[in-house]
């Protein structure tokens, strides 16, 4: 896995959990899961702890999911995790794969947050930046 974004604000920290890698920036987080990972709720404890430590419950942030690899995750557990963060203001899903983008469209039915679906990370980064800036208005 490579550092995903080319033009970003200062990287706060990078954390590798084996099954996934996360890059934390002010007001957004990029996650990339390993090829073939089967992610359980128990696996999510490490990333959840890091997100809470970095953003707390008041710093608004957007999660950018870089779906360049194929992996599986319990969709009901996914919703529970999203619900843990009242300061999560939206999600961006990035994939060049048409099937993965279609799945992202289905996620919009379960997650009541703004969700953007993009082909490139730079597009998601721009969308996230615009959504964060809207909070200041």
């Amino acid at each position: 896995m490579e550092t995903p974004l080319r033009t970003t604000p200062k990287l706060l920290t990078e954390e590798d959990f084996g099954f996934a890698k996360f890059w934390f920036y002010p007001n957004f987080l990029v996650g990339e899961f390993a090829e073939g990972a089967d992610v359980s709720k128990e696996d999510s404890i490490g990333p959840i702890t890091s997100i809470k430590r970095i953003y707390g419950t008041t710093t608004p942030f957007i999660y950018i999911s870089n779906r360049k690899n194929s992996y599986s995750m319990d969709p009901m557990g996914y919703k529970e995790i999203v619900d843990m963060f009242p300061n999560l203001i939206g999600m961006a899903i990035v994939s060049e794969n048409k099937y993965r983008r279609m799945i992202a469209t289905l996620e919009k039915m379960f997650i009541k947050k703004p969700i953007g679906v993009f082909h490139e990370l730079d597009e998601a980064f721009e969308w996230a930046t615009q959504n964060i800036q809207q909070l200041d208005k």
Side-chain angles (χ1 to χ4, degrees):
M1 292 184 244
E2 301 171 12
T3 302
L5 299 175
R6 292 184 285 264
T7 56
T8 61
K10 183 178 186 275
L11 178 67
L12 299 174
T13 188
E14 180 179 319
E15 298 194 20
D16 190 337
F17 295 94
F19 65 92
K21 193 168 186 177
F22 294 87
W23 293 266
F24 294 86
Y25 299 89
N27 300 111
F28 38 100
L29 152 71
V30 178
E32 185 178 299
F33 289 84
E35 180 66 37
D38 184 15
V39 185
S40 67
K41 284 183 4 182
E42 290 77 24
D43 291 327
S44 302
I45 292 170
I48 288 168
T49 302
S50 294
I51 294 167
K52 287 184 176 186
R53 177 177 38 83
I54 292 167
Y55 300 116
T57 57
T58 57
T59 301
F61 73 96
I62 291 178
Y63 175 60
I64 300 173
S65 178
N66 188 22
R67 297 186 180 175
K68 68 186 237 179
N69 297 315
S70 179
Y71 64 93
S72 64
M73 178 182 275
D74 173 19
M76 293 312 292
Y78 191 60
K79 183 187 179 320
E80 286 178 34
I81 292 168
V82 168
D83 290 344
M84 289 181 189
F85 298 98
N87 50 330
L88 174 67
I89 62 168
M91 295 176 51
I93 298 168
V94 179
S95 181
E96 294 179 359
N97 181 292
K98 181 179 178 180
Y99 174 72
R100 289 186 197 131
R101 286 193 312 274
M102 287 172 47
I103 290 173
T105 302
L106 291 175
E107 289 177 45
K108 290 180 178 183
M109 296 186 323
F110 299 102
I111 298 170
K112 303 304 178 200
K113 306 269 184 186
I115 297 178
V117 181
F118 305 96
H119 287 55
E120 301 287 332
L121 276 166
D122 288 338
E123 296 170 320
F125 178 78
E126 178 74 25
W127 180 84
T129 300
Q130 289 172 0
N131 278 273
I132 292 295
Q133 289 172 346
Q134 289 295 318
L135 296 175
D136 295 334
K137 292 182 179 180

